[in-house]
Structure formats: structure tokens, C-alpha cells
Amino acid sequence: MLRHIIINYTVKHGVIDESATTFSDTHSKLVWTLNFHLIETTSRFVADCNLLQNSIISANNILKRTTNLEIYLSILNGLERLVLINIIGRQLLEKVEKLALDLVKQDNEMFSLAALKLLVTCIYHSSNEQLENTERSNGIVQDEPEIIIQQIEKIEILFTKIRTTTPQGAKIFGDVLCQLIRDLLPPNEILTKVFKELMLNQPNPDIIAAVTYQVFRSAIDCSYLALLQEWLLCSLPNFLAFSQINKSVWCLTVIFMSASLNQHLLKIFPEVLSLPSYQQLNEREINNLIISAKDFYRRLDASQKAKFREIFQQNESSVYQSLLGCL
């Protein structure tokens, strides 16, 4: 009886139906909180999923149009808790994840970042089986190709956000992206995408460089170093083709260092990230390129070394000629 009374009140006062009376934001938050609490405490015992389903539909409508951050966060937090305590079944979870993806795409950075938390919760919750398979495979990501494709589609949205948001927002999206890639994607499935992003005129190139570093470390951890070296050799002409020599030098330094096994060299990677890739090229940047390129070159076989030299010999820049002279 009490459950029906509460449902009747919450439905008529904002959860499902538009209330005829204007209430305060505090009242609206309390109505949604009461609704989520009711779902959490009674759904396991009452064979009625309409309340949950209708609440998700209503949340979808409200979250996509509201400009009230407090109500927005209240509903997001309620949905996240339902996901975490495993109240939401797979079909409805997919709807919540789709909602979170749509909310992350929006231009308002504050609202987008708030939705990111729900999105990450949904992704990891729906990837439990994949994560267990990865753990049984000594940390090497395992899954069906179809699932990998779905994960890449979600990752693509985060790459887009890095390109279109503020440096502060891009840092958050980049940190999340690094962890998702490490946990859910085989490095060989994402290498091409990372190279493409690094070659774009990024407003936040240091964030993409950090993502590149994470992908390369994952590849090395998964014993893909040989594949990574070959991939880099094939990609070198693309980086050398940049019209801006400073951008070319910076990108090459990033990929050579990211592929390194030299722990001493890796310690200066944060310095490379702090050097803007589009400003005046200085001696320090050139030196970083040379030492990282030499480290990469040293680990190649004879045929790869010949290919490496041939690629750089085709470029007349004095920077690259100096590099060849140091090999």
C-alpha cells in the first residue's frame, strides 16, 4: 500500500508526468531521490519492472533538456547507483549507457563531464566478463571482435571530446581514455586510430601524446614490441611529411619515447609533453628527438635499420641530417 502511494506521488510530481504545480528544486530532487530509493529497496521483491523502465525513459527526457545542474546531477547519481548495485538488467543498462553517451557528447562541458562518470560506470559494469577474461589471460585484453568494435565506437567519442573541449576538460577525458584503452582494448586494435589523432592539428596535443604513450606501453606489456616497431617504421613518412618541422620533431619524439624500453629515457617524457609542438624549435627539442630516435634505432634489426635510414635520408631538413649523423 505504502509503495503504491509513493509511486503515485512521485509519478504525478515530476518523475513521469509533468506536475501541474511548480515546486522548488529541492522538492524535485527529493522526488527523484525517493523514486530511486523505492526502486532500490523494492524491485527485488516486487515483480514490476515498469517503474524502473519508466524512470529511465523519464530521466532520458529530463536530462537532455534540463539546464538545472543540481537536478541533473541528482538524476545522474541515482542512475549510477542503480547500475552499481546491479538493479538494472542488460537491456535497460544498454539504454542507460546510450543516454550517458548522448550526454557526454553535449557542448556544455560541465554537464558533459558529469555524464562521463555514469558512462564509465556503465562501460565497466557491462564489461565484467571481458575484464575477467583479461585477468585470466595475464592482463592481455581478450574479447570477441564485435565487442571490440563497440568499445572502439565509445572510445571515438572521447577522442572527439579531447579535440573540442577546454584543456582542463581534455585532461579529464584523456585520463579516462587512457584507462579504458588499457583495460578494454587490445593495443593492436587502437594503434592506427592513435596515430591518426596524433597527426591531426590537435588543440590539446599533449593529451593525445599521453594517450599514445599509454597505448604503446600496453602494446609492450602484451609483447607487441616487434609489431609496434614495424608499425612505427611504416608511419614515419607521414610524420616527416608535416609542413611544420617543429610539429614533426615533437610527434616523432613522442612516438620514439613511447616505444622505448629505456627507463632513464622515459623519465624525460613528461618534459616532452610540456614542450608545445607548434612553437619555435629549440636545441633541447632536437636533442630529445636524437636520443629517442637512437634508442629506437638500436633495437631494430638490420633490414629495419636500413629502412629507417632510407626514410630520413629522403628529407633534406638539417635536423634529420644531424640525426642520421648520430646513428
Coordinates of all heavy atoms in Angstrom, one line a residue, residues 120-184:
V120 N 31.3 5.8 -17.7 CA 32.4 4.9 -17.3 C 31.8 3.7 -16.4 O 32.2 2.6 -16.6 CB 33.5 5.6 -16.5 CG1 34.5 4.7 -15.9 CG2 34.2 6.6 -17.5
T121 N 30.9 4.1 -15.5 CA 30.3 3.1 -14.7 C 29.6 2.0 -15.5 O 29.7 0.8 -15.3 CB 29.3 3.7 -13.7 OG1 30.0 4.7 -12.9 CG2 28.6 2.7 -12.8
C122 N 28.8 2.5 -16.5 CA 28.1 1.6 -17.4 C 29.0 0.7 -18.2 O 28.8 -0.5 -18.4 CB 27.2 2.3 -18.4 SG 25.8 3.2 -17.6
I123 N 30.1 1.3 -18.7 CA 31.0 0.6 -19.6 C 31.7 -0.6 -18.8 O 31.8 -1.7 -19.2 CB 32.1 1.5 -20.2 CG1 31.5 2.4 -21.2 CG2 33.2 0.7 -20.8 CD1 32.4 3.5 -21.8
Y124 N 32.2 -0.2 -17.6 CA 32.9 -1.2 -16.8 C 31.9 -2.3 -16.3 O 32.2 -3.5 -16.2 CB 33.6 -0.6 -15.7 CG 35.0 -0.1 -16.1 CD1 35.2 1.2 -16.4 CD2 36.1 -1.0 -16.1 CE1 36.5 1.7 -16.8 CE2 37.3 -0.5 -16.5 CZ 37.5 0.8 -16.9 OH 38.8 1.2 -17.2
H125 N 30.7 -1.9 -15.9 CA 29.7 -2.9 -15.5 C 29.3 -3.8 -16.5 O 29.2 -5.0 -16.3 CB 28.5 -2.1 -14.9 CG 27.5 -3.0 -14.2 ND1 27.7 -3.4 -12.9 CD2 26.4 -3.6 -14.6 CE1 26.8 -4.2 -12.5 NE2 25.9 -4.3 -13.5
S126 N 29.2 -3.3 -17.8 CA 28.8 -4.2 -18.9 C 30.0 -5.0 -19.4 O 29.8 -5.9 -20.2 CB 28.2 -3.4 -20.0 OG 29.1 -2.5 -20.5
S127 N 31.2 -4.7 -18.9 CA 32.4 -5.4 -19.4 C 33.0 -6.3 -18.4 O 34.1 -6.7 -18.5 CB 33.5 -4.3 -19.8 OG 33.0 -3.4 -20.8
N128 N 32.2 -6.7 -17.4 CA 32.7 -7.6 -16.4 C 33.3 -8.9 -16.9 O 34.3 -9.3 -16.5 CB 31.5 -7.9 -15.4 CG 31.4 -6.9 -14.3 OD1 32.3 -6.2 -14.0 ND2 30.2 -6.8 -13.7
E129 N 32.5 -9.5 -17.9 CA 33.0 -10.8 -18.4 C 34.3 -10.6 -19.2 O 35.2 -11.4 -19.1 CB 31.9 -11.3 -19.4 CG 32.3 -12.7 -19.9 CD 31.2 -13.3 -20.8 OE1 30.0 -12.8 -20.7 OE2 31.5 -14.3 -21.5
Q130 N 34.4 -9.5 -19.9 CA 35.6 -9.2 -20.7 C 36.8 -9.0 -19.7 O 37.9 -9.5 -19.9 CB 35.4 -8.0 -21.5 CG 36.7 -7.6 -22.3 CD 36.6 -6.3 -23.1 OE1 35.5 -5.7 -23.1 NE2 37.6 -5.9 -23.8
L131 N 36.6 -8.2 -18.6 CA 37.6 -8.0 -17.7 C 38.1 -9.3 -17.0 O 39.3 -9.4 -16.7 CB 37.1 -7.0 -16.6 CG 36.9 -5.6 -17.1 CD1 36.1 -4.7 -16.1 CD2 38.2 -4.9 -17.5
E132 N 37.1 -10.2 -16.7 CA 37.5 -11.5 -16.1 C 38.4 -12.3 -17.1 O 39.3 -12.9 -16.7 CB 36.2 -12.2 -15.7 CG 35.5 -11.6 -14.6 CD 34.2 -12.3 -14.3 OE1 33.8 -13.2 -15.0 OE2 33.5 -11.9 -13.3
N133 N 38.0 -12.2 -18.4 CA 38.8 -13.0 -19.4 C 40.2 -12.4 -19.5 O 41.2 -13.1 -19.6 CB 38.1 -12.9 -20.8 CG 36.8 -13.7 -20.8 OD1 36.6 -14.6 -20.0 ND2 36.0 -13.3 -21.7
T134 N 40.3 -11.1 -19.4 CA 41.6 -10.4 -19.4 C 42.5 -10.8 -18.2 O 43.6 -11.1 -18.3 CB 41.4 -8.9 -19.4 OG1 40.7 -8.5 -20.6 CG2 42.8 -8.2 -19.4
E135 N 41.8 -10.9 -17.0 CA 42.6 -11.3 -15.8 C 43.1 -12.7 -16.0 O 44.2 -13.0 -15.5 CB 41.6 -11.1 -14.6 CG 42.4 -11.3 -13.3 CD 41.5 -11.1 -12.1 OE1 40.3 -10.5 -12.3 OE2 41.9 -11.4 -11.0
R136 N 42.3 -13.6 -16.5 CA 42.7 -15.0 -16.7 C 43.8 -15.1 -17.8 O 44.5 -16.1 -17.8 CB 41.5 -15.8 -17.1 CG 40.5 -16.1 -15.9 CD 39.6 -17.2 -16.3 NE 38.7 -16.8 -17.3 CZ 37.5 -16.3 -17.1 NH1 37.1 -16.1 -15.9 NH2 36.7 -16.0 -18.1
S137 N 43.9 -14.1 -18.6 CA 45.0 -14.1 -19.7 C 46.2 -13.2 -19.3 O 46.8 -12.7 -20.2 CB 44.3 -13.6 -21.0 OG 43.2 -14.3 -21.3
N138 N 46.4 -13.1 -18.0 CA 47.6 -12.4 -17.5 C 47.6 -10.9 -18.0 O 48.7 -10.4 -18.4 CB 48.9 -13.1 -18.0 CG 49.0 -14.4 -17.4 OD1 48.7 -14.7 -16.2 ND2 49.5 -15.4 -18.1
G139 N 46.4 -10.3 -18.0 CA 46.4 -8.9 -18.4 C 46.3 -8.5 -19.8 O 46.2 -7.4 -20.2
I140 N 46.3 -9.6 -20.7 CA 46.2 -9.3 -22.1 C 44.7 -9.3 -22.5 O 43.9 -10.2 -22.2 CB 46.9 -10.4 -22.9 CG1 48.4 -10.4 -22.6 CG2 46.7 -10.2 -24.4 CD1 49.1 -11.5 -23.3
V141 N 44.3 -8.1 -23.0 CA 42.8 -7.9 -23.3 C 42.3 -9.0 -24.3 O 42.9 -9.2 -25.3 CB 42.6 -6.5 -23.8 CG1 41.1 -6.3 -24.2 CG2 43.0 -5.5 -22.8
Q142 N 41.2 -9.6 -23.9 CA 40.6 -10.6 -24.7 C 39.1 -10.3 -24.9 O 38.4 -9.9 -24.0 CB 40.7 -12.0 -24.0 CG 42.1 -12.4 -23.6 CD 42.9 -12.9 -24.8 OE1 42.3 -13.5 -25.7 NE2 44.2 -12.7 -24.8
D143 N 38.6 -10.5 -26.2 CA 37.2 -10.4 -26.4 C 36.9 -10.7 -27.9 O 37.7 -10.7 -28.7 CB 36.6 -9.1 -26.0 CG 35.2 -9.3 -25.3 OD1 34.5 -10.1 -25.8 OD2 35.0 -8.6 -24.3
E144 N 35.6 -10.8 -28.1 CA 35.1 -11.0 -29.5 C 35.2 -9.7 -30.3 O 35.1 -8.6 -29.8 CB 33.6 -11.4 -29.4 CG 33.3 -12.7 -28.7 CD 34.0 -13.9 -29.3 OE1 34.1 -13.9 -30.6 OE2 34.4 -14.8 -28.6
P145 N 35.5 -9.9 -31.6 CA 35.7 -8.7 -32.5 C 34.5 -7.7 -32.4 O 34.7 -6.5 -32.5 CB 35.8 -9.4 -33.9 CG 36.4 -10.7 -33.6 CD 35.7 -11.2 -32.3
E146 N 33.3 -8.3 -32.3 CA 32.1 -7.4 -32.3 C 32.1 -6.5 -31.1 O 31.8 -5.3 -31.2 CB 30.8 -8.2 -32.3 CG 29.6 -7.4 -32.4 CD 28.3 -8.2 -32.4 OE1 28.4 -9.4 -32.7 OE2 27.2 -7.7 -32.2
I147 N 32.5 -7.1 -29.9 CA 32.6 -6.3 -28.7 C 33.7 -5.2 -28.8 O 33.5 -4.1 -28.3 CB 32.8 -7.2 -27.5 CG1 31.5 -8.1 -27.3 CG2 33.0 -6.4 -26.2 CD1 31.6 -9.1 -26.2
I148 N 34.8 -5.6 -29.4 CA 35.9 -4.7 -29.6 C 35.5 -3.5 -30.4 O 35.8 -2.3 -30.1 CB 37.1 -5.4 -30.2 CG1 37.7 -6.5 -29.3 CG2 38.2 -4.4 -30.5 CD1 38.2 -6.0 -28.0
I149 N 34.7 -3.8 -31.5 CA 34.2 -2.7 -32.3 C 33.3 -1.7 -31.5 O 33.4 -0.5 -31.7 CB 33.5 -3.3 -33.5 CG1 34.4 -4.0 -34.5 CG2 32.7 -2.2 -34.3 CD1 33.7 -4.7 -35.6
Q150 N 32.5 -2.3 -30.7 CA 31.6 -1.5 -29.9 C 32.4 -0.6 -28.9 O 32.1 0.6 -28.7 CB 30.6 -2.4 -29.1 CG 29.6 -3.1 -29.9 CD 28.8 -4.1 -29.2 OE1 29.0 -4.3 -28.0 NE2 27.9 -4.8 -29.8
Q151 N 33.4 -1.2 -28.3 CA 34.3 -0.4 -27.4 C 35.0 0.8 -28.2 O 35.1 1.9 -27.6 CB 35.3 -1.3 -26.7 CG 34.8 -2.5 -26.0 CD 34.0 -2.1 -24.7 OE1 33.5 -1.0 -24.6 NE2 34.0 -3.0 -23.7
I152 N 35.4 0.5 -29.4 CA 36.1 1.5 -30.2 C 35.2 2.6 -30.5 O 35.6 3.8 -30.5 CB 36.7 0.9 -31.4 CG1 37.9 -0.1 -31.1 CG2 37.2 2.0 -32.4 CD1 38.5 -0.8 -32.3
E153 N 33.9 2.3 -30.7 CA 33.0 3.4 -31.0 C 32.8 4.3 -29.8 O 32.6 5.6 -30.0 CB 31.6 2.8 -31.4 CG 31.6 2.1 -32.8 CD 30.3 1.3 -33.0 OE1 29.5 1.2 -32.1 OE2 30.2 0.8 -34.2
K154 N 32.8 3.8 -28.6 CA 32.7 4.6 -27.4 C 34.0 5.4 -27.2 O 34.0 6.6 -26.9 CB 32.5 3.7 -26.2 CG 31.2 2.9 -26.3 CD 31.2 1.9 -25.2 CE 30.0 0.9 -25.5 NZ 30.0 -0.3 -24.6
I155 N 35.1 4.8 -27.5 CA 36.4 5.5 -27.4 C 36.5 6.7 -28.4 O 37.0 7.7 -28.1 CB 37.6 4.5 -27.7 CG1 37.7 3.4 -26.6 CG2 38.9 5.2 -27.8 CD1 37.9 3.9 -25.2
E156 N 35.9 6.5 -29.5 CA 35.9 7.6 -30.6 C 35.3 8.8 -30.0 O 35.7 9.9 -30.3 CB 35.2 7.1 -31.8 CG 35.0 8.1 -32.9 CD 36.3 8.5 -33.5 OE1 37.1 7.6 -33.8 OE2 36.5 9.7 -33.8
I157 N 34.2 8.7 -29.2 CA 33.5 9.8 -28.7 C 34.5 10.6 -27.7 O 34.5 11.9 -27.7 CB 32.3 9.4 -27.9 CG1 31.2 8.9 -28.9 CG2 31.7 10.6 -27.1 CD1 30.0 8.2 -28.3
L158 N 35.3 9.9 -27.0 CA 36.2 10.6 -26.1 C 37.3 11.3 -26.8 O 37.7 12.4 -26.4 CB 36.8 9.5 -25.1 CG 35.7 8.8 -24.2 CD1 36.5 8.0 -23.1 CD2 34.8 9.8 -23.5
F159 N 37.8 10.7 -27.9 CA 38.8 11.4 -28.7 C 38.2 12.7 -29.3 O 38.9 13.7 -29.3 CB 39.2 10.5 -29.9 CG 40.3 9.5 -29.6 CD1 40.1 8.2 -29.7 CD2 41.6 10.0 -29.3 CE1 41.2 7.3 -29.4 CE2 42.6 9.1 -29.0 CZ 42.4 7.8 -29.1
T160 N 36.9 12.6 -29.7 CA 36.3 13.8 -30.2 C 36.2 14.9 -29.1 O 36.4 16.1 -29.3 CB 34.9 13.5 -30.7 OG1 35.0 12.5 -31.7 CG2 34.2 14.7 -31.2
K161 N 35.9 14.5 -27.9 CA 35.8 15.4 -26.8 C 37.1 16.1 -26.5 O 37.2 17.3 -26.2 CB 35.2 14.8 -25.5 CG 33.8 14.3 -25.6 CD 32.8 15.4 -25.9 CE 32.7 16.4 -24.8 NZ 31.7 17.4 -25.1
I162 N 38.2 15.3 -26.6 CA 39.5 15.9 -26.4 C 39.8 17.0 -27.4 O 40.4 18.0 -27.1 CB 40.6 14.8 -26.4 CG1 40.4 13.8 -25.2 CG2 42.0 15.4 -26.5 CD1 41.3 12.6 -25.3
R163 N 39.3 16.8 -28.6 CA 39.6 17.8 -29.6 C 38.7 19.1 -29.5 O 39.1 20.1 -30.0 CB 39.3 17.2 -31.0 CG 40.3 16.2 -31.5 CD 40.1 15.9 -33.0 NE 38.8 15.4 -33.4 CZ 38.5 14.2 -33.4 NH1 39.3 13.2 -33.1 NH2 37.2 13.8 -33.8
T164 N 37.6 18.9 -28.8 CA 36.6 20.0 -28.8 C 36.4 20.7 -27.5 O 35.6 21.7 -27.4 CB 35.2 19.5 -29.3 OG1 34.8 18.4 -28.5 CG2 35.4 19.0 -30.7
T165 N 37.0 20.3 -26.4 CA 36.8 20.8 -25.1 C 38.0 21.7 -24.6 O 39.0 21.8 -25.4 CB 36.5 19.7 -24.1 OG1 36.0 20.3 -22.9 CG2 37.7 18.9 -23.8
T166 N 37.9 22.2 -23.5 CA 38.9 23.0 -22.9 C 40.1 22.2 -22.5 O 40.0 21.0 -22.3 CB 38.4 23.8 -21.7 OG1 38.1 22.9 -20.6 CG2 37.2 24.6 -22.0
P167 N 41.3 22.8 -22.3 CA 42.5 22.0 -21.8 C 42.2 21.2 -20.5 O 42.6 20.1 -20.4 CB 43.5 23.0 -21.6 CG 43.2 24.1 -22.6 CD 41.7 24.1 -22.6
Q168 N 41.4 21.8 -19.6 CA 41.1 21.2 -18.3 C 40.2 20.0 -18.6 O 40.4 18.9 -18.0 CB 40.5 22.2 -17.4 CG 41.4 23.3 -16.9 CD 41.5 24.4 -18.0 OE1 40.7 24.5 -18.9 NE2 42.4 25.3 -17.8
G169 N 39.2 20.2 -19.4 CA 38.3 19.1 -19.7 C 39.0 18.0 -20.5 O 38.7 16.8 -20.2
A170 N 39.8 18.4 -21.4 CA 40.5 17.4 -22.2 C 41.4 16.5 -21.4 O 41.6 15.3 -21.6 CB 41.4 18.1 -23.3
K171 N 42.0 17.1 -20.3 CA 42.9 16.3 -19.4 C 42.0 15.2 -18.7 O 42.5 14.1 -18.6 CB 43.5 17.2 -18.4 CG 44.3 16.5 -17.3 CD 45.6 15.9 -17.9 CE 46.6 15.5 -16.8 NZ 46.0 14.5 -15.9
I172 N 40.8 15.5 -18.3 CA 40.0 14.5 -17.7 C 39.6 13.5 -18.7 O 39.7 12.3 -18.4 CB 38.7 15.2 -17.1 CG1 39.2 16.2 -16.0 CG2 37.8 14.2 -16.5 CD1 38.0 17.0 -15.4
F173 N 39.1 13.9 -19.8 CA 38.7 12.9 -20.9 C 39.9 12.0 -21.3 O 39.8 10.8 -21.5 CB 38.2 13.6 -22.1 CG 36.8 14.1 -21.9 CD1 36.5 15.5 -21.9 CD2 35.7 13.2 -21.8 CE1 35.2 15.9 -21.7 CE2 34.4 13.6 -21.6 CZ 34.1 15.0 -21.6
G174 N 41.1 12.7 -21.3 CA 42.3 11.9 -21.7 C 42.7 10.9 -20.6 O 43.0 9.7 -21.0
D175 N 42.6 11.2 -19.4 CA 42.9 10.3 -18.3 C 41.9 9.1 -18.3 O 42.4 7.9 -18.2 CB 42.8 11.0 -16.9 CG 43.9 12.0 -16.7 OD1 44.9 11.9 -17.4 OD2 43.8 12.8 -15.8
V176 N 40.7 9.4 -18.5 CA 39.7 8.3 -18.6 C 39.9 7.4 -19.8 O 39.9 6.2 -19.8 CB 38.2 8.9 -18.7 CG1 37.2 7.8 -19.0 CG2 37.9 9.5 -17.4
L177 N 40.3 8.1 -20.9 CA 40.5 7.4 -22.2 C 41.7 6.4 -22.0 O 41.7 5.3 -22.5 CB 40.8 8.4 -23.3 CG 41.0 7.8 -24.7 CD1 39.9 7.0 -25.2 CD2 41.3 9.0 -25.7
C178 N 42.8 6.9 -21.4 CA 43.9 6.0 -21.2 C 43.6 4.8 -20.4 O 44.0 3.7 -20.8 CB 45.0 6.8 -20.4 SG 45.9 8.0 -21.4
Q179 N 42.8 4.9 -19.4 CA 42.4 3.7 -18.6 C 41.5 2.8 -19.3 O 41.7 1.6 -19.2 CB 41.7 4.2 -17.3 CG 41.6 3.1 -16.2 CD 43.0 2.6 -15.8 OE1 43.9 3.3 -15.4 NE2 43.2 1.3 -15.8
L180 N 40.6 3.3 -20.1 CA 39.6 2.5 -20.8 C 40.4 1.7 -21.9 O 40.2 0.5 -22.1 CB 38.6 3.3 -21.5 CG 37.5 3.9 -20.6 CD1 36.6 4.9 -21.4 CD2 36.7 2.8 -19.9
I181 N 41.3 2.4 -22.5 CA 42.1 1.7 -23.6 C 43.0 0.6 -22.9 O 43.0 -0.6 -23.5 CB 43.0 2.7 -24.3 CG1 42.2 3.6 -25.2 CG2 44.1 2.0 -25.1 CD1 43.0 4.7 -25.9
R182 N 43.5 0.8 -21.8 CA 44.4 -0.2 -21.1 C 43.6 -1.4 -20.7 O 44.0 -2.5 -20.8 CB 45.1 0.4 -19.9 CG 46.1 -0.5 -19.3 CD 46.9 0.2 -18.3 NE 48.0 -0.7 -17.8 CZ 49.1 -0.9 -18.4 NH1 49.4 -0.3 -19.5 NH2 50.0 -1.7 -17.8
D183 N 42.4 -1.1 -20.2 CA 41.5 -2.2 -19.7 C 40.7 -3.0 -20.7 O 40.5 -4.2 -20.5 CB 40.6 -1.7 -18.6 CG 41.3 -1.2 -17.4 OD1 42.5 -1.6 -17.2 OD2 40.7 -0.4 -16.6
L184 N 40.3 -2.3 -21.8 CA 39.2 -2.9 -22.6 C 39.6 -3.1 -24.1 O 38.8 -3.7 -24.8 CB 38.0 -2.0 -22.5 CG 37.4 -1.8 -21.1 CD1 36.2 -0.8 -21.2 CD2 36.9 -3.1 -20.5

